[in-house]
Amino acid sequence: MRQVTYTQLLRETLEAALRRDPRIFLMGEDIGAYGGAFGVTRGLVKEFGTERVRDTPISEQALVGMAIGAAVAGSRPVVEIMFMDFITLAVDQLVNMAAKLHYIYGVSCPLVVRTPNGGGRGYGATHSQSLERLFTGVPGIRVVAPATPLDASGLLQTALLENNPVLFLEHKLLYPLRAEVPEGLPPPLPFGQARIARAGTDVTVVAWSGMVAQAERAAVTLAAQGVEAEVIDLRTLAPLDTATVVAAARKTGRVLLVEEGPRTGGFAAEIACRIFEAAYDCLDAPIRRLACPDCPIPAARNLEAACLPNAEAIVTEVLSLLGR
Amino acid sequence: MRQVTYTQLLRETLEAALRRDPRIFLMGEDIGAYGGAFGVTRGLVKEFGTERVRDTPISEQALVGMAIGAAVAGSRPVVEIMFMDFITLAVDQLVNMAAKLHYIYGVSCPLVVRTPNGGGRGYGATHSQSLERLFTGVPGIRVVAPATPLDASGLLQTALLENNPVLFLEHKLLYPLRAEVPEGLPPPLPFGQARIARAGTDVTVVAWSGMVAQAERAAVTLAAQGVEAEVIDLRTLAPLDTATVVAAARKTGRVLLVEEGPRTGGFAAEIACRIFEAAYDCLDAPIRRLACPDCPIPAARNLEAACLPNAEAIVTEVLSLLGR
Amino acid sequence: MDLLTCYARMLTIRLFEEAVERLFHEGRIGGTAHTCIGQEAVAVGVAAALQPQDAVTSNHRGHGHFLALGADPGRLMAELFGRATGYSRGRGGSQMMMDVRCGFYGGNGITGGSIPFAAGLALEAKMRGSSRVVVCFFGDGASNQGVFHETLNLAALWKLPVIFLCENNGYAMSTPVKRGLACPQVADRAAAYHLPSSRVDGNDLLAVRQAVAEARQHARAGQGPTLLECRTYRLSGHSRGDRREYRQAHEETEAWQREPILRFAAQLRDQQVADEAALRACQAEVRQQIEAAIRFAEESPLPEIADVATGVYA
Amino acid sequence: MDLLTCYARMLTIRLFEEAVERLFHEGRIGGTAHTCIGQEAVAVGVAAALQPQDAVTSNHRGHGHFLALGADPGRLMAELFGRATGYSRGRGGSQMMMDVRCGFYGGNGITGGSIPFAAGLALEAKMRGSSRVVVCFFGDGASNQGVFHETLNLAALWKLPVIFLCENNGYAMSTPVKRGLACPQVADRAAAYHLPSSRVDGNDLLAVRQAVAEARQHARAGQGPTLLECRTYRLSGHSRGDRREYRQAHEETEAWQREPILRFAAQLRDQQVADEAALRACQAEVRQQIEAAIRFAEESPLPEIADVATGVYA
Ligand SMILES: Cc1ncc(C[n+]2csc(CCOP(=O)(O)OP(=O)(O)O)c2C)c(N)n1
Ligand SMILES: Cc1ncc(C[n+]2csc(CCOP(=O)(O)OP(=O)(O)O)c2C)c(N)n1
Ligand SMILES: [Mg+2]
Ligand SMILES: [Mg+2]
């Protein structure tokens, strides 16, 4: 066993893929000599050269559009968008092009777009967002949001074998996270299978990406108070593993959904509906959503911290949900 | 009284605003001599000239970005995006700029973006979408979706007085709709007040934009079968009139939400959550969502018709909801 | 592609587009379509200069591009009729068809939307070491989209084998070029990317073929993209419902004098490639083909409603 | 702005930015910031050419632009410290501050994002008949964004009173200009919009001032935008955590020889605008100002958490 970070495992996963499949190549801003803003691709250009680890100008729209074209022609491009906030510039290409190709033309578009989401580093309103909601309502795009180093690798391996466009979220706060792994890569993980991060009987807490760690931390605190929370890590939002979520909801009768992003119009609402539609009769209380307030993410650390859901807020919300 | 179309009333509303306030001007592709793809601005350039009715090149991103700048400086620009599908190109400017200005800087951005949404005309996957879901999860933007000629004028009048960015949806199928109006314009309508399009006791049907007419038609059919449906026309999605929706849900105990757009990740999920959070104890059955299937909108008329919710589907869904 | 085939292809496009306008008028087809009457020489001139491994991307006005590459008018028409036998099984409509076997990589409903897509095809070709060259069709209006700029810069930087082929037909919908572009010519924009460019009479099939052949050589030699501006004129309306109030009748009348098909026919006769009888025979054949296409389309089954939501993912 | 004030402003920027780097290093401030050490002459040269009614838009590297216009270093620093007294009450951070009273219309975290915003300010000014001219700061890297292209085209078409001022500091993050731009110079891009352009030594304050003054006259005369490329060098890292492995140490050492402040000081002495003592006095004053700014920031209260979600709408 060895200790590696989320970043390191992502890098090794990309490295193995580049070795395995000559059709795979990386493109993005400053991913070569700089290694990407968060260092994920550091060193890869040395081994694979500038053709397969392509630094690009600041042109997110064309970047994604070109990757789509290359993917349709038979390449397997992996694009890095430096911060998820910038993906707003490529919405047209993803929504009107990538997402529609297979349905309309029957052609495959094996494209992976990796991007760091999330707050917690004081980067301000345009470098901290979790914008998966722009894509979870668009059929044709896979949305993947790993919460641990092992999952990041396992899901990225699968993404790299997918024949559909995949939006791959890497939460900024997870990059330095360490995990014990055997030599080599962890096993690939199928899309659409949530992980029961912790089993429990009293309440179900559903989260993804950066919020899973908060939910797990909250569960430890709750356990000390005699509350056994089941924590579900969705792993992928599209496809969504409704069955696992619903089973947990049925079992515990009480559900808290945790989302990093403004409360209104988020993906938690979709999950709530799915549970509701399938387990209406088993709920002992209304499903709750814990999310950011409906405002941009401020830069000041105290304000930002007040916006982002955290373990303490989860504990408070769960206790209130349980009527305690 | 006189008979006028939705298009005509929108045009008269813009005309009155241009007369009233010298800070108001229009910009968009082919809105001058051509009068806009759907004719809303036809003739206005003759009266107000090319400075205030500005034809632009095909540059949606800059168009919206410039309007934001002009708005912050004190103008009141009204942008037309020819089809809502093209607003994907301006997501960055709307999400990262317009929506954040007041929160961060405290400056106002009195911008109106008008755009035709919706299917039903066989225009295909990139000319038929209702993409309000890209914005309903973004705090800082008003989202308005009138369903009748009178509301279109009343809400546009309010939009033209707003000091926030407003996304104003005009459903394509509504343009030719006629209404009886007195001379002059109908009264302005406040944002955040839903309309009870039809009162009923057995079930609540919530809709907006093009789906309201379908819901009303369904209600007539249902009434003939002894089912009294209350039809709520949301009018504005942001702000959302939760109170009216919840009151109706409490009254009828059964709710159907109708959305033109793929089922997963739509705004109906948010409405369901709001009802659920506030009226959980009064619901006699799970809230249902009727929406498009999770696929792009196909061009062939029979396929398109199969995708879009319509009055018949609403009737079927309501009867099933009532266990009939 | 021999010259008589070029003539036949232009005619196929013309008669196909005239049929489309008629069918709309008669209410036999719906939705939307943008016809390219008057622009046939660009499409066929390009196709005549390409090799089988090459690829083409198109825009909203793409019937001609597709037919020039040898599309089956029946399947194309069936798509407009929304039939199961259409190129996109009725799902795409006029703006969204693809047939990679003839190198046609699809139209696009988003103005400018396929420009980076074309460069991506070229990137793949280059990385794979293929001899493919990609032609990216777009209009004068599309050259005002940001993605045009981003893509030309990237394609130039990376010397991708792509030809950016602008059909400058004088208008973007109702907007004349001089109110859409701050520079007099689309070709002027090449300077911003240090790219070679040229302007061609787009109603002269042979001139287009020649220019594309040269740009293709340039790309094949690893020298990267070329920006080609083909000047032409759209003799039809922008799309259905275009009243054409933004231009005067005499402008169109004059433009008809310069239309490419009669002109090419005259060349064929002058150069004794074909005599009047041969041209007539060709016309008759194309006419029959188009009628057959309409019959095929109209007799084809509608797509299955049950399948409407399938195939979103590969 | 007299020359000694210009000197003081450059020094304010330099010492402010050095303080920012130190404070980051010491962990006293967090988040992110992009400092502009080495680029001071551009910001101050621009400010010196403007009139009070003019407006400026900025980008991610905006402290210098703001300070050049007379921002209060204390409130700017307080924003970096995330305090209630900051220009955005702590909400904005380094990239998002605005003070319209001094004509500063804000930075932007999205590369290129404020380019159309600047043109919109100019559009409003023109429609209102004001004599305002807008300066739009952006970097060499931002000139690869599509919105740059769209905006320049529109601004040129409409002859808007805006100066597109590129700070070409040789790099976009780690990407040298020659791997970002397919054309050798940013100024080459003006041709695509038929715009006048020029290249200026951005480390020469007087040259910048002169070029901006001319472009301003041009705009005031109704002749529209100018694209100005100011060549300079970023002596600091791109942002915190930049290891600068993409360039060699000697490159920076050489660039320090050309840095603008010592050079301007020498000019002032040569032209007898100020002697060594005057410059020293100025330095001491600025140093105190920056120390006071840090104290002000550090002693300022944090923003109220209770208000965190207020003010989203006007
Ligand atoms: C992003 C986007 N904006 C606007 C439109 C509407 N539209 C379709 S074609 C067209 C004009 C395109 O002009 P040009 O590129 O010159 O091509 P042409 O129609 O002349 O062949 C416009 C404005 C669109 N389809 N997509
Ligand atoms: C849309 C977008 N893409 C990428 C980034 C990340 N980023 C911030 S600054 C920068 C480099 C900008 O280069 P340039 O415009 O030359 O300005 P400079 O930093 O050199 O002053 C990059 C890539 C961003 N903030 N926004
Ligand atoms: Mg055109
Ligand atoms: Mg730079």
Side-chain angles (χ1 to χ4, degrees), chain D residues 220-280:
Chain D
R220 287 286 300 112
Q223 312 244 40
T226 300
L227 174 58
L228 277 188
E229 177 179 358
C230 300
R231 282 167 298 129
T232 180
Y233 193 86
R234 154 169 66 69
L235 289 165
S236 37
H238 167 70
S239 67
R240 209 156 54 112
D242 179 358
R243 306 174 177 196
R244 296 186 242 180
E245 287 169 1
Y246 50 85
R247 62 192 192 190
Q248 299 184 306
H250 73 82
E251 187 184 308
E252 293 192 20
T253 318
E254 282 159 32
W256 273 106
Q257 309 305 312
R258 298 187 300 271
E259 74 84 30
I261 300 185
L262 284 176
R263 175 166 161 186
F264 192 63
Q267 280 178 300
L268 293 185
R269 274 191 306 263
D270 290 355
Q271 294 166 22
Q272 293 170 347
V273 175
D275 60 11
E276 193 58 36
L279 296 179
R280 285 256 174 74

Side-chain angles (χ1 to χ4, degrees), chain A residues 61 85-86 88-89 91-92 95-96 99-100 103-104 125-126 129 131 133-139 262-270 272-274 276-277 280 283-289 293-298 303 307, chain B residues 61 85-86 88-89 91-92 95-96 99-100 103-104 125-126 129 131 133-139 262-270 272-274 276-277 280 283-289 293-298 303 307:
Chain A
Q61 198 183 343
D85 313 70
F86 313 157
T88 49
L89 290 158
V91 168
D92 178 64
V95 170
N96 284 324
K100 297 184 173 29
Y103 180 77
I104 305 281
T126 60
Q129 294 167 95
L131 292 174
R133 63 188 57 196
L134 298 182
F135 303 97
T136 45
V138 179
R263 178 184 182 82
T264 298
F267 190 66
E270 177 64 35
C273 279
R274 296 279 182 103
F276 198 47
E277 284 157 1
Y280 172 71
L283 294 176
D284 300 322
I287 299 166
R288 297 228 189 156
R289 295 183 287 168
D294 285 334
C295 66
I297 300 178
L303 295 180
C307 275
Chain B
Q61 197 183 344
D85 313 71
F86 314 157
T88 49
L89 290 158
V91 168
D92 178 64
V95 170
N96 284 325
K100 298 186 173 26
Y103 180 76
I104 305 281
T126 59
Q129 295 168 94
L131 292 174
R133 63 188 58 195
L134 299 183
F135 303 97
T136 45
V138 179
R263 179 184 182 81
T264 298
F267 190 64
E270 177 64 35
C273 278
R274 297 280 182 103
F276 198 46
E277 284 157 0
Y280 171 71
L283 294 176
D284 300 323
I287 299 166
R288 297 229 189 156
R289 294 182 288 168
D294 285 333
C295 65
I297 300 177
L303 295 181
C307 276

Side-chain angles (χ1 to χ4, degrees), chain C residues 39 61 139-142 167-173 175 177 234:
Chain C
Q39 306 184 194
R61 199 177 301 288
D140 45 283
E167 291 183 272
N168 181 346
N169 59 7
Y171 294 88
M173 204 157 155
T175 307
V177 169
R234 153 169 67 70

Side-chain angles (χ1 to χ4, degrees), chain A residues 29-30 58 60 82 86 89 127, chain D residues 60-61 109-111 139-142 145 169 171-173 238:
Chain A
E29 294 157 18
D30 306 286
I58 310 175
E60 283 81 4
M82 199 185 285
F86 313 157
L89 290 158
H127 283 65
Chain D
H60 56 288
R61 200 177 301 289
I110 304 297
T111 303
D140 45 283
Q145 286 286 31
N169 59 7
Y171 292 89
M173 205 157 154
H238 167 70

